[in-house]
Amino acid sequence: MFGGTFDPLHLGHLAIALEVRHQLELDRMLLVVANDPWQKTVFNSVTPASIRFEMVEAAVAAANESIGSTVLEASDHEIRRGGETYTADTLATLATETDGAELFVVVGSDIAASLDTWERPDEVRELATTVVAERGGSAGGRPPEGWDHVVVAVPALEISSTDIRNRFRNGRPTEALVPHRVVEYVRSHGLYGSTR
Ligand code: ATP
């Protein structure tokens, strides 16, 4: 699973999902949209989860279409559960639903060092192997001691959702940074202060 706020999803996210799935030869790759990313919402509000999910769904459908098979899946699992989003809960459900499949949790190297601040980190550690997506292969953050993890080099794309939101707000270009269907969705719904 690759969890995120995806407010909005950008090409950095897609690059990670596709690269990790390919390099680790995973059977499935779920992009799991956080319902309430409490470590963020304590400081800032985020776009309603159903809207963030629709954007991920649209981008995932387009990626699968162009690849010609279902390599990515958009998951609204955490939205249906509701409340604050804890990866430990998501993994527990996935473990049951997949009948004991081997689970992986993908995180960017920028947040790897903070894994102990997650809710019930011991459960996350026990239920899954952590995958650290390393931008451009340059040494970044690593999980704290005791976290079983693998490092996967992903293309360095210096893109963040924060910058994308600002770009839409200020009318700067987003087309080379965000999947086409997400750009369309943002504009047609007037998200982030964008204009058509
Ligand atoms: P924001 O700018 O709003 O904080 P974000 O771009 O970091 O958002 P999130 O949805 O919070 O996006 O991130 C989900 C996951 O994707 C995190 O594990 C984060 O480390 C990783 N990530 C985000 N952008 C990139 C990128 N350009 N390259 C590699 N990893 C990324």
Side-chain angles (χ1 to χ4, degrees), residues 7-40:
D7 191 15
L9 176 126
H10 54 67
L11 292 175
H13 295 132
L14 272 192
I16 289 184
L18 291 170
E19 195 69 34
V20 169
R21 180 182 184 277
H22 176 77
Q23 287 195 35
L24 299 184
E25 299 179 4
L26 303 177
D27 296 318
R28 298 176 66 190
M29 172 58 80
L30 309 182
L31 281 86
V32 185
V33 178
N35 183 60
D36 176 357
W38 52 281
Q39 290 193 326
K40 284 190 177 179

Side-chain angles (χ1 to χ4, degrees), residues 2-13 15-16 40 106-112 118 133-135 154-165:
F2 177 34
T5 307
F6 304 124
D7 191 15
L9 176 126
H10 54 67
L11 292 175
H13 295 132
I16 289 184
K40 284 190 177 179
V106 183
V107 297
S109 54
D110 55 321
I111 62 164
W118 287 15
E134 180 100 282
R135 304 174 190 203
V154 298
L157 295 170
E158 281 314 312
I159 311 174
S160 70
S161 296
T162 304
D163 179 53
I164 298 301
R165 293 192 299 275

Side-chain angles (χ1 to χ4, degrees), residues 22-73:
H22 176 77
Q23 287 195 35
L24 299 184
E25 299 179 4
L26 303 177
D27 296 318
R28 298 176 66 190
M29 172 58 80
L30 309 182
L31 281 86
V32 185
V33 178
N35 183 60
D36 176 357
W38 52 281
Q39 290 193 326
K40 284 190 177 179
T41 49
V42 72
F43 299 114
N44 294 304
S45 63
V46 298
T47 304
S50 57
I51 291 177
R52 289 182 281 113
F53 177 71
E54 283 183 2
M55 292 191 279
V56 173
E57 226 182 2
V60 160
N64 289 338
E65 268 167 40
S66 83
I67 293 165
S69 67
T70 307
V71 292
L72 303 178
E73 298 169 55

Side-chain angles (χ1 to χ4, degrees), residues 92-149:
T93 313
L94 285 176
T96 311
E97 280 179 5
T98 59
D99 212 9
E102 188 177 2
L103 299 178
F104 296 82
V105 175
V106 183
V107 297
S109 54
D110 55 321
I111 62 164
S114 63
L115 285 168
D116 276 341
T117 68
W118 287 15
E119 177 77 9
R120 285 172 274 129
D122 45 328
E123 290 179 28
V124 177
R125 240 179 14 217
E126 276 157 30
L127 287 166
T129 301
T130 304
V131 178
V132 179
E134 180 100 282
R135 304 174 190 203
S138 62
R142 291 284 182 271
E145 225 177 289
W147 287 77
D148 182 20
H149 67 278

